[in-house]
Amino acid sequence: MSTPDTWFDATVIGIRNLTPTVKEFRLQYPLALRLAPGAHIDVQVAIDGQTAMRSYSVVRSDANGQIVIAVKQVQGSRGGSRYMASLTLGSTLKASAPVSNFEPVYGPHHYLLLAAGIGVTPMLSVARALVAQGASLQMLYAVRSKDEQAYLPDLQDLLGERLRVFSADRNERLDVAAEINALAESAQLYLCGPIKLLDAAREHWQAAGRHAAQLRYETFGSSGRYLPQDFTVRVPRLGREILVDAGQSMLDALSEAGIAMVSNCRRGECGLCAVDVLETDGVLDHRDVFFSSREHAGGNRICTCVSRVAGTSITIEPPWRGDPDLSHTTVL
Ligand code: FES
């Protein structure tokens, strides 16, 4: 398992309901940590008696070592949000230092920020940083309903008319292609939302001939197209069959079974955990942003840290190590 170098004991010192499905947690770290815009922390969660890791974006932090995160209760969650919902004031949990892969690249160009649902959490600190730089920006915020507009007052205060909200229950549709087409050539797009939105934006961005480096995104690996379910992974070369339960990733199940795997981000971004797919009894539920839509449709490879099978089984060829001792997992 790819784990941060240092875990801190963080204490829950505040909990508030932001929406019917989103809870905010204020965590007290033992020391103040540097925070870059768009940062996330990793948190150890207990799921069915096992320890797993989940990443949550940092909404804000302060010089006294307090870090605020927000967690959405997801139907069919892999168990992380259920664990977080069980925390009460005074609970302690193991949490990492903040890390940011989403810090804005500053420049004179225009920025379009696009957040959907709980994807608003990393965008808040990115928006604050851009406003502090005096950048030209606009933010689009897509929500399911007006009850689910987490942090809307903060964004309205920060951005005023530079914020546009699209609420599905008011039939307000966000046209990603039109928004991309309306951007100046030098503009940058920062995006966080469900995998369907990320795929659509990436497709339009590429189709419009825009530079890949000007599209930045943050992911959350729980946003598949199907609810997680148990399935079996067959590894014919090793004569193994491994059960992956609904609350577990394929990567964890394979690693725990002693199959040598390589991983790093565990968020579907780096592609290091990918394996070849030989056969599937079901549908591949790709949840990564490493492979393109075309590669997803081809179904030849799958990122085991986040992607799953909606069906009964998958047959794979894991990375070939040329090493008869298959009991180690490599973390890069
Ligand atoms: S570990 Fe990075 S995509 Fe799976």
Side-chain angles (χ1 to χ4, degrees), residues 132-151:
Q133 293 282 324
S136 159
L137 80 150
Q138 191 176 48
M139 178 165 168
L140 313 177
Y141 182 18
V143 296
R144 274 184 204 279
S145 69
K146 63 178 174 41
D147 295 342
E148 291 293 344
Q149 303 175 138
Y151 295 116

Side-chain angles (χ1 to χ4, degrees), residues 250 254 261 273-277 300-304 316-319:
M250 206 187 330
L254 290 166
M261 298 294 292
C273 66
V275 297
D276 292 338
V277 177
N300 298 319
R301 304 202 77 205
I302 188 167
C303 283
T304 55
I316 64 159
E317 173 66 23

Side-chain angles (χ1 to χ4, degrees), residues 112 175-184 189 200-202 204-205 208 210:
L112 178 65
D175 186 339
V176 177
E179 298 293 346
I180 289 174
N181 290 340
L183 286 175
L189 172 58
R202 290 201 306 167
H204 293 308
W205 195 260
R210 289 176 179 273

Side-chain angles (χ1 to χ4, degrees), residues 75-327:
Q75 194 206 1
S77 112
R78 294 176 294 159
S81 61
R82 242 186 303 132
Y83 171 81
M84 293 300 292
S86 74
L87 299 176
T88 55
L89 289 180
S91 297
T92 57
L93 70 171
K94 298 277 183 206
S96 74
V99 174
S100 182
N101 307 316
F102 200 48
E103 191 167 356
V105 177
Y106 299 109
H109 38 257
H110 179 73
Y111 297 81
L112 178 65
L113 311 184
L114 200 169
I118 195 65
V120 70
T121 49
M123 219 56 91
L124 256 171
S125 61
V126 170
R128 273 192 220 108
L130 290 173
V131 168
Q133 293 282 324
S136 159
L137 80 150
Q138 191 176 48
M139 178 165 168
L140 313 177
Y141 182 18
V143 296
R144 274 184 204 279
S145 69
K146 63 178 174 41
D147 295 342
E148 291 293 344
Q149 303 175 138
Y151 295 116
L152 182 62
D154 304 66
L155 287 168
Q156 286 169 327
D157 286 349
L158 183 70
L159 299 173
E161 296 198 341
R162 291 177 291 180
L163 174 70
R164 283 193 287 150
V165 180
F166 299 81
S167 186
D169 67 345
R170 293 194 295 255
N171 288 322
E172 293 163 350
R173 191 173 151 266
L174 171 58
D175 186 339
V176 177
E179 298 293 346
I180 289 174
N181 290 340
L183 286 175
E185 203 182 319
S186 61
Q188 292 195 2
L189 172 58
Y190 287 69
L191 174 60
C192 186
I195 201 79
K196 240 172 132 171
L197 179 71
L198 293 178
D199 282 350
R202 290 201 306 167
E203 251 170 57
H204 293 308
W205 195 260
Q206 202 180 12
R210 289 176 179 273
H211 200 294
Q214 290 168 218
L215 170 62
R216 308 273 314 278
Y217 41 75
E218 180 77 339
T219 60
F220 39 94
S222 59
S223 61
R225 292 178 173 81
Y226 304 91
L227 291 180
Q229 61 186 78
D230 298 354
F231 60 94
T232 300
V233 187
R234 298 200 173 91
V235 190
R237 173 162 59 81
L238 305 175
R240 302 287 305 274
E241 282 198 6
I242 294 138
L243 178 70
V244 182
D245 67 41
Q248 189 181 30
S249 72
M250 206 187 330
L251 176 64
D252 283 345
L254 290 166
S255 300
E256 283 163 21
I259 311 288
M261 298 294 292
V262 181
S263 67
N264 187 346
C265 71
R266 300 179 66 89
R267 293 150 56 88
E269 294 170 357
C270 70
L272 282 173
C273 66
V275 297
D276 292 338
V277 177
L278 305 179
E279 200 179 332
T280 316
D281 183 2
V283 180
L284 298 181
D285 189 6
H286 290 290
R287 300 170 175 219
D288 65 281
V289 291
F290 176 74
F291 291 121
S292 65
S293 310
R294 185 182 297 189
E295 288 168 315
H296 285 162
N300 298 319
R301 304 202 77 205
I302 188 167
C303 283
T304 55
C305 64
V306 289
S307 299
R308 310 186 60 82
V309 175
T312 55
S313 69
I314 181 170
T315 306
I316 64 159
E317 173 66 23
W320 175 251
R321 298 270 162 268
D323 181 351
D325 174 8
L326 294 172
S327 62

Side-chain angles (χ1 to χ4, degrees), residues 6 8-9 28-34 62-67 97-98:
T6 309
F8 297 95
D9 286 318
Q28 178 68 61
Y29 274 59
L31 70 172
L33 297 155
R34 183 186 171 270
D62 68 18
N64 298 318
Q66 292 185 10
I67 281 184

